[in-house]
Amino acid sequence: RDIYRSENGWWDRNPTNLHPAHPQDAASAVLSAISDRRAVLDKAKKLMEEGKTQLALHVIDVLALAPDDDEEVNEAKRLKSKLLHMRSEDVPSVVSTNLYLSHADSMDKDLKD
């Protein structure tokens, strides 16, 4: 499996992810295509309130992964941290729990700087 993965990447059945652009470049491109960032934040919050934490994470990543440092992106990063903490309580895997929490902690430190 490791040889396959090293040659073909992590195949999630979405060809876009086979050989992706650098995450910050992709996030910047997506961010530049969004004319209403508040709508993205609102949708992620609505999903969170409905208990759909994983879907909220997918939505908020549209903003939170961007390297920009404006108000909406920072709000998205704070929301993502909150969602990661919530998601860590939903998964039975200790490894997944720790990955969610360590990423949230890293995001929180970056926002304080």
Side-chain angles (χ1 to χ4, degrees), residues 23-54:
Q24 286 187 338
D25 294 340
S28 290
V30 170
L31 189 65
S32 70
I34 298 172
S35 60
D36 187 359
R37 295 178 183 182
R38 180 59 44 197
V40 175
L41 288 161
D42 291 344
K43 180 63 177 181
K45 288 176 185 176
K46 184 173 189 280
L47 289 166
M48 179 183 70
E49 291 165 3
E50 293 172 354
K52 298 176 181 175
T53 310
Q54 186 60 47

Side-chain angles (χ1 to χ4, degrees), residues 20-107:
H22 188 279
Q24 286 187 338
D25 294 340
S28 290
V30 170
L31 189 65
S32 70
I34 298 172
S35 60
D36 187 359
R37 295 178 183 182
R38 180 59 44 197
V40 175
L41 288 161
D42 291 344
K43 180 63 177 181
K45 288 176 185 176
K46 184 173 189 280
L47 289 166
M48 179 183 70
E49 291 165 3
E50 293 172 354
K52 298 176 181 175
T53 310
Q54 186 60 47
L55 286 175
L57 282 166
H58 286 291
V59 171
I60 204 62
D61 269 353
V62 171
L63 298 177
L65 293 177
D68 294 23
D69 201 17
D70 63 30
E71 182 181 333
E72 285 103 354
V73 171
N74 283 332
E75 184 178 345
K77 290 176 182 180
R78 284 190 294 277
L79 180 57
K80 181 173 181 174
S81 176
K82 181 177 181 176
L83 289 163
L84 291 171
H85 281 280
M86 292 171 68
R87 187 70 176 132
S88 74
E89 296 173 7
D90 294 338
V91 294
S93 167
V94 173
V95 173
S96 294
T97 296
N98 286 325
L99 288 170
Y100 285 126
L101 293 175
S102 66
H103 191 80
D105 289 346
S106 176
M107 292 183 76

